[in-house]
Amino acid sequence: MVNVTARKIKCTSASESNSDDTLRDHLKPAVENFIYRSLGVDIVDRMMRKEEFSTRMSFQYSILLDLISTSDFESFKEYICSYEFYVKSWISKRIKEYFSSGSTVCEFEERRLKSCIGHINAAIKKATAEKSDNLMTFVVKICTELVDKLVISQEALDPFMILNKSDQEQFAHFLKECVQEMTEALRVKFKITKFEAKLSQFHIKPEDELFNRVIGCGKQCPFCKVPCDAGGENHTQHFASMHRPRGLGRYSCDDSRKLMTDICTSLVISDNRFRCRATKNEWHNYKEYREIFPDWNIHPDGSLEASDYWKYVMKTYNKDFAEAYHAEPADIPDAWKKITKEEAEESLKKSFNNK
């Protein structure tokens, strides 16, 4: 494709022709690299405009509403047991749903491509106006001007070391035509390449970046596995405003092996004890839990209960959780058994102030 243009221009030597080819071959991947370096950020910024990603509260509400709407036990289990993995997978799915159809990504690519080509043409114009002693100096000036935008390897520049008296204006003309043809080739490539294939070339993983921006902290309560509410990374104490029934976090009564329905805020002011891997399976008082988990601050309050949302989840999937955790089903309170899915969703709305 580019060779057709090259034939229109009479090169001064075989070496110069080879140099043209070398620069051309390195320019296209450099431009692609520039575009894919930017697209990940563009996608994250666009997703942040969506209501479900606008705040941490909106995000948590959206993912919990999706869970109860889907009514899939495996999803609930993965969300509880592998919170960060599940959430990032959920984000990735949302990104693919949003961008796999439509022209948004193409618009991003076109804008970044035009920006990059504009920088290249400006660099060529500036180097041409300044005049250089030889072609190597001319090319180096162009590359230096673009250093913050494009990474062009030394391998691409080496052939120009031997070219001294070559026609710089002729080369600049060739380079502009080469850039134009490369631009059209990239437009075609972007159009036919599937979004999933493009994702693999991004310099950042959008799901990781969105998780860090919206969630920040992926730590979970050592007892009920509720995620930390602090957000961001710059906090020394983890906390959660609403804890879940302890059985959802794999805790069961040691004697009966039944999953427990009480919550952490009550347990930390009780005389109960716990044991786990962190205690080397030795019994430890809940009141002194911070000796084992010093980075967690569980607000003691015996009057608090789990939300109707998590009561509904536990009573609905009681046997499933017991089987998954190699325990016995919990003794579900009669009041929990009456909670409907609609009431659970309403509880979720109230918990997140979502009307």
Side-chain angles (χ1 to χ4, degrees):
M1 175 179 58
V2 178
N3 287 336
V4 174
T5 302
R7 292 193 200 103
K8 297 177 183 178
I9 301 172
K10 183 178 180 181
C11 296
T12 57
S13 68
S15 296
E16 184 174 335
S17 179
N18 291 335
S19 302
D20 294 344
D21 291 340
T22 301
L23 185 58
R24 180 198 65 209
D25 292 341
H26 285 77
L27 188 59
K28 184 178 177 181
V31 172
E32 284 189 87
N33 183 65
F34 167 83
I35 293 170
Y36 285 123
R37 193 167 66 238
S38 309
L39 276 181
V41 176
D42 289 337
I43 284 173
V44 169
D45 289 343
R46 177 58 61 90
M47 292 299 289
M48 291 289 289
R49 296 182 190 178
K50 293 174 67 64
E51 174 62 27
E52 61 188 354
F53 290 95
S54 59
T55 66
R56 191 176 190 280
M57 293 280 282
S58 293
F59 179 80
Q60 293 287 17
Y61 172 76
S62 297
I63 199 168
L64 290 173
L65 182 62
D66 182 66
L67 277 167
I68 200 169
S69 300
T70 305
S71 298
D72 177 61
F73 166 70
E74 289 298 327
S75 295
F76 273 111
K77 187 186 75 170
E78 190 171 327
Y79 172 79
I80 293 170
C81 298
S82 305
Y83 173 73
E84 186 169 340
F85 175 82
Y86 180 85
V87 170
K88 287 183 178 180
S89 297
W90 190 86
I91 294 173
S92 180
K93 181 181 177 182
R94 286 294 182 275
I95 291 171
K96 290 174 183 177
E97 287 175 352
Y98 185 77
F99 289 102
S100 290
S101 59
S103 58
T104 308
V105 173
C106 292
E107 292 171 5
F108 288 158
E109 290 167 335
E110 180 64 19
R111 188 177 73 234
R112 293 295 182 176
L113 180 59
K114 284 182 177 179
S115 173
C116 188
I117 299 309
H119 289 305
I120 293 174
N121 287 331
I124 294 172
K125 183 177 181 180
K126 183 176 180 180
T128 302
E130 291 179 353
K131 301 294 182 182
S132 302
D133 295 334
N134 53 60
L135 191 56
M136 176 60 188
T137 304
F138 178 75
V139 173
V140 168
K141 282 184 178 180
I142 294 174
C143 293
T144 301
E145 190 69 21
L146 296 171
V147 68
D148 293 332
K149 308 293 186 303
L150 303 180
V151 179
I152 301 176
S153 68
Q154 183 63 42
E155 181 184 352
L157 304 181
D158 286 343
F160 294 93
M161 295 295 291
I162 61 174
L163 302 176
N164 297 315
K165 301 298 183 179
S166 300
D167 190 327
Q168 294 169 33
E169 290 188 6
Q170 185 183 58
F171 177 79
H173 177 73
F174 160 78
L175 188 54
K176 286 180 181 179
E177 290 199 357
C178 178
V179 167
Q180 182 59 38
E181 292 196 15
M182 176 198 65
T183 301
E184 296 306 318
L186 283 175
R187 282 181 175 140
V188 171
K189 182 178 180 180
F190 292 150
K191 188 175 182 180
I192 64 175
T193 304
K194 293 185 179 298
F195 180 67
E196 287 79 1
K198 294 175 182 180
L199 272 175
S200 65
Q201 300 186 61
F202 289 175
H203 286 230
I204 65 168
K205 288 186 175 181
E207 62 269 27
D208 290 350
E209 186 66 21
L210 277 166
F211 183 91
N212 291 334
R213 287 199 197 184
V214 180
I215 299 297
C217 180
K219 299 297 183 181
Q220 296 175 259
C221 171
F223 303 118
C224 71
K225 301 303 179 186
V226 69
C228 171
D229 282 343
E233 298 179 352
N234 297 321
H235 59 275
T236 57
Q237 293 292 300
H238 303 299
F239 67 89
S241 56
M242 295 178 288
H243 287 261
R244 306 167 183 158
R246 182 172 52 145
L248 293 176
R250 293 180 179 265
Y251 274 81
S252 60
C253 178
D254 197 64
D255 294 330
S256 66
R257 297 185 60 248
K258 291 182 179 180
L259 295 177
M260 306 300 292
T261 59
D262 43 10
I263 63 172
C264 311
T265 50
S266 298
L267 286 166
V268 295
I269 55 175
S270 72
D271 293 324
N272 292 341
R273 298 185 301 166
F274 70 94
R275 62 179 181 176
C276 58
R277 184 180 300 176
T279 67
K280 298 180 180 179
N281 213 34
E282 296 293 328
W283 288 106
H284 196 85
N285 292 325
Y286 270 103
K287 289 180 179 179
E288 299 167 350
Y289 75 94
R290 298 201 68 176
E291 293 179 2
I292 307 299
F293 304 109
D295 53 347
W296 267 91
N297 184 10
I298 300 173
H299 180 66
D301 190 336
S303 66
L304 293 178
E305 293 186 2
S307 69
D308 281 355
Y309 179 94
W310 289 111
K311 289 177 181 177
Y312 172 82
V313 170
M314 188 160 190
K315 70 103 174 180
T316 302
Y317 301 107
N318 186 18
K319 292 182 180 179
D320 297 295
F321 278 114
E323 183 178 348
Y325 295 164
H326 305 290
E328 294 297 319
D331 290 328
I332 301 296
D334 290 339
W336 292 24
K337 297 175 183 178
K338 299 176 183 178
I339 300 173
T340 65
K341 184 176 180 180
E342 291 70 28
E343 289 172 333
E345 290 177 354
E346 187 61 30
S347 167
L348 185 65
K349 289 180 181 179
K350 290 180 180 179
S351 297
F352 288 92
N353 299 315
N354 200 309
K355 298 180 181 180

